[in-house]
Amino acid sequence: MSSHSFYKRAYSFFKAYPSASKLLLLSTCSGGGLLVFSDSVPPRRALTSDGQEVPKKKVVVLGSGWGGYSFLSHFNNPNYDVKVVSPRNFFLFTPLLPSVTNGTVEARSIVEPIRGLMRKKGFEYTEAECVEIDPSTKKIHCRSKDGSNVDKEFDMDYDILVVAVGAKPNTFNTPGVEEHAHFLKEAEDALKIRRSVINCFERASLPSLTEEERKKILHFVVVGGGPTGVEFSAELHDFLVEDVAKIYPKVQEFTRITLLEAGDHILNMFDKRITAFAEEKFQRDGIDLKTKNMVVGVNADEISTKEIATGKIVSEPYGMVVWSTGVGIRPVIKEFMHRIGQGQRRVLATDEWLRVEGCDSVYALGDTATINQRRVMEDIAAIFSKADKGETGTLNKKEFKSVVKDICQRYPQVELYLKKKKLRNIANLLKSANGDDTEVNIETFKQALSEVDTQMKNLPATAQVASQQGKYLAKCFNKMEKCEKKPEGPLRFRGEGRHRFQPFRYRHFGSFAPLGGEQTAAELPGDWVSIGHSSQWLWYSVYASKLVSWRTRSLVVSDWVRRFIFGRDSSSI
């Protein structure tokens, strides 16, 4: 082949695939040559029967958080045109936000610009906020601000919509919270808290203040005894003990941290051993822990709480309030729910394949939605009928075994119930209800499975859940064409054939609760609980490995090393 023909073909390749990256051009002394290296060679497009390319479907992804970023990272199907709409052009590693509030980690160390992933994958990104979803016309209405803070509005079409906008802080309509409290959901929130903490100490250091005024300014109130509130309290306490004592020695004695929780205990979702240890440690550290106290109002100077046991209302002055009491739905999702007939629900509902109920072309991930798991007892007659191929009114061993696997795949609560009852399989469950394992009628079948649905639980609103859902949905799209021809999911008990995909299954890898003083509580699968300094090093290693790039890993690790050597940064920048 002549060099002219070679260059011509190379030019045609790059013109057809402009997203190919990492190109290396070398010329040789013997007459010239071209060596091309690419780490993103595009996969083949699907073709119609007459050889024409199948038009790409438009997939629009809302959000660049855990669910959205995981979906985009694992998506690899050339038959879709992917567009991303998000008001922030980066992914935020939210588990380290409490570390940003006291200068342990810098905010830029835990963000990964999304443009790099867009370039690598060949996706299109638009920095804007979706303010309306219209499923009837398959359009979204977006709003963006230009440099002059003027709103720019536009519409965008979609064939498939993936909603991963996350949630907003839940104030429970408590008066004054929006105006006077800090939240901890975004990088900007963490930076505001950091500046506010330093500002409180600078104000308290003014020479003209009385002791009462200093006590008010240096009273830090944290509302919410969940993982975020507990970790922030621990981080703030470490900052006071390890750094403030050196930087602000004259006002250290006036500092006070109060943690308010409406429930009986903090860290209710953790093992009781962790809860007890955390409460004891906070009491030893001097953190004022008040359980069974509900916040009823916040103003510019005081926070009012109600003792649940007595109904007594107490008001206390404060210097800063951090609100961390759970999440609520965003306005755009609330309006969308009314459009599709879910207006009476508290959160957007999807099926087990993450598809929004009542809207087949829309999927929802993470904090935005919850899976509305179907109950076994709703389908018990259909399951029995599907298995009873001979229509005898009873199931023999062979008929029963033909649907056992599909039942466990379709209804995850079955496995949870068997685990709780310490039974090996459904056969043992039926045998315990029937007395023998020869044949089972419909009444015995119902009796055996009557309590299975008691194990149904909503998934927690965590990064771990959202990340797994994004990965699952991306893999479903990657094999969409294959599974449409050969479905791999469980039987359709109320229809014919099989579902295209296996339903989503969440796998819990464990949870951490940093408690300060280089001590962390870890709850891992298998009822394994570890508390102490060794768990802190496990926390370091796990979080470093979960960061999404080597860039963020190196930055965070260097921040940790810097803190060990030089202490935390106390500047108010």
Side-chain angles (χ1 to χ4, degrees):
M1 180 170 58
S2 67
S3 61
H4 175 74
S5 176
F6 181 80
Y7 283 114
K8 187 175 180 181
R9 291 192 179 188
Y11 173 78
S12 301
F13 174 84
F14 293 120
K15 187 175 181 181
Y17 304 111
S19 62
S21 61
K22 293 186 180 177
L23 307 177
L24 179 62
L25 175 63
L26 302 177
S27 67
T28 63
C29 298
S30 59
L34 181 69
L35 175 63
V36 178
F37 167 76
S38 172
D39 67 347
S40 58
V41 177
R44 292 185 177 183
R45 289 282 309 280
L47 301 176
T48 60
S49 57
D50 58 354
Q52 300 295 320
E53 286 189 349
V54 176
K56 289 186 177 184
K57 289 185 177 180
K58 296 179 182 178
V59 177
V60 176
V61 181
L62 302 181
S64 57
W66 281 97
Y69 195 87
S70 177
F71 174 81
L72 296 168
S73 299
H74 293 93
F75 191 94
N76 188 29
N77 190 329
N79 297 317
Y80 294 92
D81 182 20
V82 180
K83 300 178 185 293
V84 183
V85 177
S86 175
R88 66 182 192 196
N89 66 349
F90 57 85
F91 164 79
L92 175 65
F93 192 82
T94 51
L96 287 178
L97 274 179
S99 296
V100 175
T101 62
N102 66 352
T104 300
V105 173
E106 294 298 324
R108 287 191 175 275
S109 299
I110 62 171
V111 300
E112 181 67 20
I114 198 173
R115 287 284 184 181
L117 180 64
M118 299 297 98
R119 176 180 54 81
K120 180 180 179 181
K121 293 281 189 175
F123 300 158
E124 182 180 331
Y125 169 72
T126 303
E127 187 176 83
E129 180 182 7
C130 175
V131 294
E132 183 181 347
I133 301 172
D134 188 352
S136 60
T137 61
K138 289 191 173 183
K139 290 179 181 290
I140 59 171
H141 187 68
C142 304
R143 183 180 298 138
S144 181
K145 293 183 182 295
D146 60 14
S148 59
N149 283 332
V150 177
D151 288 345
K152 300 292 185 181
E153 299 188 4
F154 59 92
D155 292 335
M156 185 179 292
D157 299 327
Y158 68 84
D159 294 311
I160 298 170
L161 184 66
V162 179
V163 182
V165 297
K168 68 172 187 176
N170 192 351
T171 66
F172 300 97
N173 296 319
T174 306
V177 173
E178 292 278 0
E179 296 82 5
H180 304 293
H182 290 273
F183 302 107
L184 192 52
K185 285 286 290 180
E186 302 289 343
E188 293 83 359
D189 296 334
L191 292 173
K192 286 179 181 178
I193 292 174
R194 179 173 172 176
R195 286 192 290 267
S196 182
V197 170
I198 299 301
N199 184 47
C200 284
F201 281 102
E202 294 295 348
R203 286 163 50 207
S205 299
L206 295 174
S208 58
L209 298 181
T210 65
E211 287 191 3
E212 289 302 317
E213 288 174 324
R214 288 192 171 96
K215 287 180 180 179
K216 173 187 177 299
I217 294 172
L218 297 179
H219 182 202
F220 302 98
V221 180
V222 183
V223 184
T228 302
V230 167
E231 185 175 353
F232 171 73
S233 300
E235 290 276 7
L236 181 59
H237 176 266
D238 284 353
F239 178 60
L240 300 183
V241 172
E242 299 171 10
D243 299 274
V244 168
K246 303 173 185 176
I247 305 170
Y248 304 96
K250 294 182 179 180
V251 297
Q252 184 200 8
E253 61 180 302
F254 302 109
T255 59
R256 177 184 166 204
I257 301 173
T258 298
L259 177 58
L260 301 174
E261 166 58 37
D264 295 338
H265 301 280
I266 60 173
L267 299 177
N268 282 321
M269 67 292 299
F270 281 80
D271 187 277
K272 291 181 179 179
R273 290 167 287 180
I274 292 177
T275 297
F277 181 86
E279 291 178 347
E280 290 174 6
K281 185 180 185 305
F282 276 15
Q283 289 174 359
R284 292 196 307 269
D285 291 343
I287 296 176
D288 188 9
L289 176 60
K290 294 183 178 180
T291 57
K292 301 180 183 178
N293 272 262
M294 182 174 62
V295 177
V296 294
V298 183
N299 60 36
D301 300 307
E302 293 182 332
I303 181 168
S304 300
T305 59
K306 178 182 178 181
E307 294 180 2
I308 295 177
T310 64
K312 181 181 178 182
I313 295 179
V314 178
S315 296
E316 279 192 285
Y318 71 88
M320 185 184 77
V321 172
V322 174
W323 188 272
S324 177
T325 60
V327 295
I329 59 174
R330 295 187 181 275
V332 61
I333 301 301
K334 191 171 184 178
E335 192 271 341
F336 173 60
M337 290 169 64
H338 282 284
R339 284 177 179 260
I340 61 174
Q342 292 193 28
Q344 301 302 316
R345 296 185 61 90
R346 291 188 298 174
V347 65
L348 184 64
T350 72
D351 62 17
E352 297 88 335
W353 292 268
L354 309 184
R355 188 173 47 224
V356 173
E357 291 185 346
C359 202
D360 290 343
S361 60
V362 181
Y363 296 82
L365 311 174
D367 300 353
T368 305
T370 186
I371 296 175
N372 191 14
Q373 177 63 50
R374 193 165 183 84
R375 296 177 180 272
V376 173
M377 296 309 293
E378 289 179 326
D379 297 333
I380 193 74
I383 295 170
F384 190 90
S385 177
K386 181 73 74 171
D388 186 16
K389 294 181 173 60
E391 298 183 358
T392 60
T394 60
L395 300 182
N396 57 37
K397 283 186 177 181
K398 185 178 179 180
E399 289 174 330
F400 177 68
K401 287 182 178 179
S402 68
V403 296
V404 166
K405 184 178 179 181
D406 295 292
I407 292 174
C408 291
Q409 290 176 344
R410 183 68 179 82
Y411 308 98
Q413 61 265 40
V414 173
E415 288 187 1
L416 294 174
Y417 184 77
L418 293 176
K419 183 178 179 181
K420 180 182 178 181
K421 293 295 184 180
K422 298 181 180 180
L423 297 171
R424 294 179 59 187
N425 49 48
I426 299 183
N428 295 122
L429 178 62
L430 290 175
K431 188 175 180 179
S432 65
N434 193 34
D436 63 73
D437 57 352
T438 52
E439 290 189 346
V440 178
N441 59 32
I442 182 66
E443 293 304 320
T444 305
F445 197 61
K446 287 181 179 179
Q447 180 185 349
L449 298 175
S450 60
E451 296 183 4
V452 165
D453 292 327
T454 60
Q455 296 303 302
M456 294 175 62
K457 296 179 180 179
N458 290 330
L459 296 178
T462 62
Q464 196 173 166
V465 171
S467 180
Q468 290 185 30
Q469 288 180 339
K471 183 178 180 180
Y472 161 83
L473 188 60
K475 288 188 173 182
C476 289
F477 275 94
N478 292 343
K479 54 187 177 183
M480 182 70 73
E481 293 78 14
K482 174 185 175 183
C483 290
E484 283 180 346
K485 296 177 182 177
K486 189 178 179 181
E488 62 178 28
L491 281 171
R492 295 180 182 272
F493 291 113
R494 289 186 173 272
E496 298 298 324
R498 291 183 171 272
H499 292 278
R500 279 183 302 183
F501 310 108
Q502 295 288 348
F504 171 74
R505 286 291 185 88
Y506 169 62
R507 184 180 178 188
H508 185 62
F509 291 104
S511 302
F512 290 100
L515 302 175
E518 292 298 310
Q519 295 189 70
T520 290
E523 184 178 5
L524 302 178
D527 196 31
W528 191 79
V529 171
S530 175
I531 306 172
H533 298 287
S534 59
S535 299
Q536 179 70 27
W537 288 103
L538 179 62
W539 179 86
Y540 281 134
S541 60
V542 169
Y543 275 24
S545 67
K546 290 298 181 181
L547 288 159
V548 296
S549 70
W550 283 106
R551 169 189 164 275
T552 51
R553 290 189 192 104
S554 61
L555 288 173
V556 168
V557 171
S558 65
D559 286 343
W560 287 337
V561 173
R562 171 186 53 77
R563 196 269 295 179
F564 274 112
I565 298 174
F566 302 108
R568 296 173 179 84
D569 184 1
S570 61
S571 61
S572 58
I573 297 177

